[in-house]
Structure formats: C-alpha cells, structure tokens
Amino acid sequence: MTANGWLQIFVFLLAVFLVTKPLGTFMARVFGRERTWLDPVMRPLERILYRLTGVDESHEMDWKEYALALLLFSGVSMIVLYVLQRVQQWAWLPWNPQKLAGVAPALAFNTAASFTTNTNWQNYVPEATMSYLTQMVGLAYHNWVSAAAGMALAIGFIRGITRREQKTIGNFWVDLVRGTLWVLAPLCLVGALLLVSQGVVQNLKPYDTVQLLDPYQTPQLGSDGKPVNGPDGKPAMQTVSQQVIAQGPTASQEIIKELGTNGGGFFNANSAHPFENPTPFSNFLEMFCIFVIPSALTYTLGTMTGYRRHGWAVWAAMALLFLAGVTTAYWAEARGNPQVTSAAYHASPHPSSPAQSTGNLEGKEVRFGVANSALFATVTTDTSCGAVNSMHDSFTPLGGMVPLINLMLSEVIFGGVGAGMYGMLVFVILSVFIAGLMVGRTPEYLGKKIEAYDVKMAMLVILIFPLVILVFTAISVLYSFGTSAISNAGPHGFTQILYAFTSAVANNGSAFGGFSGNTPWYNTSLGIAMLLGRFMMILPMLAIAGNLAGKKQTPATLGTFPVTGPLFTVLLIGVVVIVGALTFFPAISLGPILEHLLMQAGKTF
C-alpha cells in the first residue's frame, strides 16, 4: 500500500462528490418536467418520439400500470435481441465482415436475459461471437434502455415518497425517454469523444491480420478444445506466426457500458484490453462514469423530497461502505500471498535480507497496478457494472471476497443506475422501521407512516435475493453439470459458483475468470437468475412506492426519528451489513474465508 495509491482512491471519490450536486440537481429538473438548457434540442425530439409511439405524456400511471409497461417493454426487447443473435449470419444483414455464425439457442437466451436486465453477463468471446450489428443495434440498445429503465424506476419510487394521497407515480414511457435523451445521450457523447482521444478504437473495419516478429509453438487443439497427440504419443505442436487484431465501434459501446453500469465488454478482456482502456486517464474516466449517475441520484432524492440533508446522509452511507470495501481489497492485494513472498526469500541470492512483498500482481495489468485494480474491482461490484480491468479469480481470497460481499449487499453501495437508489430506499424503509421499534413509536419516513404492508414488501425484496442465489448455488455444487464448469477444487471452486449466481442475481455480470459458464445448465440457470433478480425485486419495490404515494403527510414530532444526520447514516449502514452478513456468512465461510485460512497454512487452489 502506497501514498500514491491512496491519493488516487481519494481523488476519485472527491471527483464523484463534486459532480453529485450539479448532476443531481439537473436530473431533478429533468424528471420534475422543469425547463433545462437542453430543452431546445431534446424537447422536439421527445415530442416526435411520443407521436411515433402514441404515448400521451400527460397520462399518469399507478404502480401496477407502471410495472406492466416495464415488463412489456423488457419482454419485447428481450425477444428482439434473441432473434437478432440467432439470425446475425444472414447474408442480407449488414455489419458482419467476419462472417460470424448465428448464436446457439441457450447462449442467445442467456445473453438476451443478461442485457435486458442490465447484467451484461457474457458466456462468450464478444469479438468472435457477435457481429457489429448485434453489438451496436442489439447489445448497445439494451445498454441504453435498461439503464434508462433503472433511472425511471428510481424516480418512480422517489415520487411515491413525495406525493400525498395520490394513486400515481408518473409515466414509465416519459421517464424512460427523458432519462435517455436528457441524461444518457449528452454524457455518452462527451464521454465517447474523450475515450477516442485516449486511443479507444471506433470503426467498422474488418479485423486485421499481422505477422508476428517472434513466432511461437503452441499445442494443437482438437474440435473439443483439448490438446491432441501426434503419432509419437506426445502433444502435437503448431507454429503461430500470425495474430488477428480485433477492432470495431468500441468507444461508443464502452461509454454506455460504464455510464449505464452495464459492464459487457466489446472484447473478451473487457476493460483490461488496450482498445477499451488504453491509458491511466481512460481508466479513471471509466470508473468515474460508473459512479457518477448513481451518486447524483442521492442528491436528486434530497431535492425532489425537499430534504437535501437526507440525500447527503444516504450518500454518506454509500461512501463509507465503498471506502470499507476498497480499503480491504487494497490491503489484501498489496499484502499478496505469503507463500510467494517466502519463495522469493528462499530464491534470493541474499536470503539473510528480509523478504519484501510486491503485492499480488497475478491477473493484473502492470499499467494499472494493485491500487487501481483493487479500486476498479470495488467500484464495479459496488454497482451493477460487471466491467473489469483485472481478473477477480486471481485476487487473494480476501481481495476476491470484497467484490463478492459488495454484490451480496444487494447492489446498494451506489449501485446500478437507478437500481442502487431504489435498492437503498428499501433498506431505508427497514432502517426506519427498526428505529421505530427501538423507540416504541409508529415508524415514519419523511412524513409518511411505515406500516405492515410496506415492511412486508421490503422484506420480500430482501428475501428473494438470497433465495435465488443460494438455491441455484446448492444445486450446482451437488451435481456434475455444475461442478464441471469450475477450474479449481476446494473452497475456491465453491466461490466461483457462488460468485456466478450472486453476480447474476445482483445484475452485475462480472465473474471469476476460471468459471466456464457456456453450458446448457449455466446458460439457462443464470439467465433465469438474472430475470428473477431484476423483475422479482422491482415489483414489490413499486408496490411500496404506490402505497407511499397514497398516504397522508404526517407532521414531524419530537419522537420522529431523524433521517438527516450521522445517527441515521450509521443505522442504515448497520442494517445493510447485518442483513447481508446474517444471510451469506455461512457461504462466505465455506468459500473465501476458508481459502484464506488454508492459504496461511500453506495450501492454495
């Protein structure tokens, strides 16, 4: 751990803090239907879209109609993406210069579910599987609309808090359009140009083939992907003298991948690939874009409810949880594996000198180093963004535990675009309820009484999440169709499976790199887990919003628990951590904690 590493972490958080108020204020005006500086350009486009689609922007929806609109929109979008993948090889379809084949049914279902739910889990090599048409029209489209839908849901929840004795929480179609045009479009335009300036590629060219300066020998693989033997019984070798350089419209995909907290890479190496993330500035910009909208939504919450200090209290809870995670990950990765340090000590020509650990560099780009790898891993798993600039599977057990725990806390540490806000608001409801129980009063939240229905719906959200994760994980570790996908035995192999389903249900999309999920079981089960993790948690959340909108405003009294100060922030953090710890601690103990103890005893996996 170095002063330079800590400086980069705190500069990053400071940059996020500084943009929270201006962007949060802007979004409050956008979704409050107030005039903004973008109206002369965006308002005519908005009206054209409503005319083409038959949307009445003055029509307000109750929570059930709002949910139905979301489900219908997501369902149709998912079907279209599935079909596009299956037929991308048709000769009359454009932008397939590599003549890539259609995607297999199970994988197409998994990918369609993944991008529809803002998960962007990828059981395939993008540059060898998806045509430019599928990448740009299919996948990128979902990057935009799934993020805009998440924002719409968060705004719907906030309206439920602010409205009094009303049945409606807004119009889904209007919120979707305004989030896309006013928020995502201008940010993506500026961000994409910045990425291009750093060297991120943006073209529609066929892949280039170049001659290697230093050809090398590699084992020859059969059709099953396994090495084949020659006549002498030894592995057959082949000479590699050329390399295919993949490229494409990367910058435009990369920026919405980060701003929309999607995470699906244009290349298999994701943000570790130099065409996606070539410089220190691009690395900083990508992390910044992941946090910027979720952070700003806390100020939007405070502005729309009229309690700005409450918005900052929620932001403080998220920031403290973020700092706890990045501190642990940075410490674990900087400390490294003691066995490696010991081996270096014994191999040293001067073994009498003390051994010095350089940290765990396995699976990391040297250009980013330990600090930026730990920071990137924490940022992307605090949100629903599955982007990576290093391989989580190569982290130390405790370093890899941090991304896992971040996901297990139900995507509320800033969280996905919109999803983090409405997820945290569910925990706010529980925190206020617990505070009410402690003081013996009816719980109140910003003038609304929290009653049995609200708590039941909140608990339904909390319980669905671990239920889906643990059930699918249990099935997968018991049968060969599940264990055949892991690359390690023991607790690390268990963690690979646990992380996969946690990432799917949390709609994150990152994975431990040794996990091979392109099988019928995992394509199907992970796809189902993603859909349940998205929509089965949205429905009770919207029910809470609709119920709150219909309530009267209750004046605050001396017995009302304040939700604007440090005490509330501490209580909120406690509820988030305790709920996650009590639910998942046994699984974590069997995975990364056990692996850490065994590593200290000299055994690795």
Side-chain angles (χ1 to χ4, degrees), residues 79-114:
I79 292 171
V80 171
L81 178 56
Y82 175 85
V83 172
L84 180 59
Q85 293 176 82
R86 299 285 289 130
V87 303
Q88 70 175 12
Q89 79 281 10
W90 287 5
W92 58 271
L93 289 175
W95 299 339
N96 188 9
Q98 297 306 118
K99 309 298 181 185
L100 298 175
V103 181
L107 179 58
F109 165 75
N110 180 278
T111 305
S114 174

Side-chain angles (χ1 to χ4, degrees), residues 362-373:
E362 181 189 335
K364 297 179 177 62
E365 290 291 304
V366 177
R367 60 201 171 100
F368 299 137
V370 171
N372 271 288
S373 297

Side-chain angles (χ1 to χ4, degrees), residues 7-24:
L7 179 62
Q8 292 181 71
I9 291 170
F10 284 111
V11 166
F12 164 76
L13 186 59
L14 177 62
V16 172
F17 171 77
L18 291 176
V19 81
T20 296
K21 180 177 178 179
L23 182 56

Side-chain angles (χ1 to χ4, degrees), residues 180-208:
T180 302
L181 294 182
W182 269 262
V183 182
L184 292 176
L187 290 176
C188 283
L189 177 61
V190 174
L193 292 175
L194 287 173
L195 288 177
V196 169
S197 75
Q198 296 301 297
V200 178
V201 299
Q202 179 73 18
N203 60 49
L204 292 172
K205 293 172 56 180
Y207 298 169
D208 289 326

